[in-house]
Amino acid sequence: MPRVRYAKKRLWRWRGNPLRRRDDLVEAWIVPAAWTVFAVGGTVAALVTAHGAYEMFAEQRAERQSARATLLNAVPISTPTIGGTPDHKTAAVRWTASDGSTRTGRTQVNTGLTAGSTVTVWQDRRSRLTAAPLNSTDAAIESGFLGAASAPA
């Protein structure tokens, strides 16, 4: 018997009542409909965002290629720089592009390297230096986070 009373109390908006207006019934159906739209829409937005992000990361993996580069300057461990982490610093490097031309640019390298050291750099289709692409596991995790963040938005 208490369960029936609880159900009646929970569903009070749809019960017959001589004081119930048509507006009350419309409101009673709008609220659950809005929650349903938000739940389904958020899920769809999360799935679409996650899929799009994963495809973008896959495209980056396909277009970026590694190249061997020569470090032009020494990068000591104690060198403070702007825009670097303690174990990575920005330094000048020289590499051979995919078209055979020699290029020079700046990229993040490990600290403690001497001038003339060989490092691995990543270049895009235009042979410009770029960040290393995410591997498939990291891309899946990042895509999941982006999808989860887009659901409430």
Side-chain angles (χ1 to χ4, degrees):
M1 187 71 169
R3 195 172 282 222
V4 173
R5 281 189 203 147
Y6 177 74
K8 283 184 178 182
K9 190 174 184 180
R10 270 316 252 168
L11 301 173
W12 66 269
R13 292 178 181 254
W14 292 278
R15 280 194 331 222
N17 186 334
L19 299 176
R20 184 183 69 194
R21 300 169 297 188
R22 183 184 315 184
D23 294 344
D24 296 332
L25 188 60
V26 169
E27 179 188 354
W29 283 105
I30 287 177
V31 171
W35 278 107
T36 302
V37 167
F38 289 140
V40 171
T43 303
V44 169
L47 291 173
V48 167
T49 302
H51 179 70
Y54 189 78
E55 291 297 319
M56 180 193 64
F57 293 136
E59 182 180 313
Q60 286 179 355
R61 281 193 304 277
E63 80 172 12
R64 294 180 183 179
Q65 55 186 336
S66 63
R68 305 300 290 168
T70 304
L71 192 60
L72 298 179
N73 302 321
V75 185
I77 293 175
S78 62
T79 305
T81 62
I82 296 174
T85 60
D87 56 343
H88 289 87
K89 303 292 180 200
T90 303
V93 294
R94 180 180 296 126
W95 77 99
T96 303
S98 56
D99 62 359
S101 64
T102 302
R103 304 271 178 113
T104 304
R106 297 185 66 78
T107 189
Q108 293 279 325
V109 296
N110 293 331
T111 58
L113 298 174
T114 59
S117 299
T118 303
V119 294
T120 302
V121 295
W122 288 88
Q123 58 185 347
D124 61 8
R125 289 183 181 159
R126 296 182 198 147
S127 298
R128 293 181 303 188
L129 289 179
T130 185
L134 294 177
N135 62 30
S136 60
T137 303
D138 291 340
I141 292 169
E142 186 74 19
S143 299
F145 281 134
L146 290 172
S150 70

